[in-house]
Amino acid sequence: FALNDLAFKADNRFQELSEHADAQNDIAYLETFFDSFIKNSGGITDPEEIERLKRKKEAKKKKGNTYDHTRELIAQGMTLEEMAKERGLTTGTVISHLFVINKTTPDIDLNKFKPREEVIENIAVASASLSKNPENLYQDGSMKSSPIYTHFNKKYSYDEIKLALLFFKSKS
């Protein structure tokens, strides 16, 4: 019976210590401590980000075509930035989807992504000149963005250049 008595006393002491520890620890402090631990371990604590990742994971399970998914988001009226955030992609990747969608689904209206006419004209003129150098072209003959970016001394972003090329190519 001595062992049972010893175990009983130890259990009582552990309960006392637990109650003392609970009384000493502020819930807000513990939440901050736990959040810090999660972030330092590479995790996330932002509820919106967690929900976005859950949606992304579910979408992957459905294994839909990436361009179809982008088409759906365009139909929902999302901006490039919203689509990129929703899909966990860069805006540049979403713009590359627009090139494919423009070829495969020409009836889809992409005009909401169209840059100002002045931007399209400036980039079209630069593209016509720069495309004479084969180093400025991809193997398929399309214009690379970087020579235009350099030509304008970073005046236009890569995204603006790609969108201008999309609409310039669409007109011709």
Side-chain angles (χ1 to χ4, degrees):
F1 295 131
L3 183 57
N4 287 342
D5 190 40
L6 183 61
F8 181 72
K9 286 180 182 177
D11 185 51
N12 282 339
R13 181 67 180 139
F14 289 139
Q15 287 180 19
E16 288 173 13
L17 291 172
S18 291
E19 288 172 10
H20 178 72
D22 286 346
Q24 296 292 352
N25 290 318
D26 177 29
I27 295 296
Y29 166 76
L30 289 175
E31 287 176 349
T32 303
F33 179 77
F34 293 147
D35 281 353
S36 176
F37 175 79
I38 291 169
K39 289 176 184 173
N40 289 332
S41 300
I44 54 173
T45 59
D46 178 37
E48 289 180 16
E49 182 69 6
I50 292 169
E51 190 58 38
R52 185 188 69 76
L53 290 173
K54 282 182 185 176
R55 286 193 310 269
K56 183 179 175 184
K57 188 175 180 180
E58 285 300 315
K60 268 192 174 179
K61 283 182 184 175
K62 294 178 185 174
K63 294 248 180 174
N65 179 304
T66 188
Y67 303 115
D68 290 341
H69 193 184
T70 301
R71 277 186 201 90
E72 290 171 13
L73 299 179
I74 291 169
Q76 291 175 21
M78 287 191 173
T79 66
L80 290 172
E81 293 77 15
E82 289 169 337
M83 287 188 280
K85 185 176 180 183
E86 174 74 19
R87 307 249 352 251
L89 304 171
T90 65
T91 54
T93 300
V94 174
I95 292 169
S96 72
H97 290 183
L98 297 183
F99 276 87
V100 173
I101 290 168
N102 192 49
K103 285 182 182 177
T104 60
T105 320
D107 59 320
I108 195 165
D109 184 12
L110 301 177
N111 281 319
K112 76 178 272 178
F113 308 112
K114 187 175 184 176
R116 295 184 330 272
E117 206 54 49
E118 171 193 337
V119 174
I120 296 172
E121 289 172 17
N122 289 344
I123 290 174
V125 170
S127 176
S129 169
L130 295 168
S131 66
K132 294 175 184 170
N133 180 347
E135 291 180 6
N136 294 337
L137 302 175
Y138 290 110
Q139 286 182 340
D140 68 358
S142 62
M143 185 70 199
K144 293 180 180 178
S145 302
S146 55
I148 297 171
Y149 184 75
T150 304
H151 175 81
F152 285 107
N153 197 24
K154 305 176 185 178
K155 177 179 178 180
Y156 301 113
S157 71
Y158 280 102
D159 288 350
E160 286 177 299
I161 293 167
K162 290 174 187 174
L163 286 170
L165 289 172
L166 171 68
F167 286 95
F168 168 65
K169 293 283 185 197
S170 297
K171 290 197 310 189
S172 52

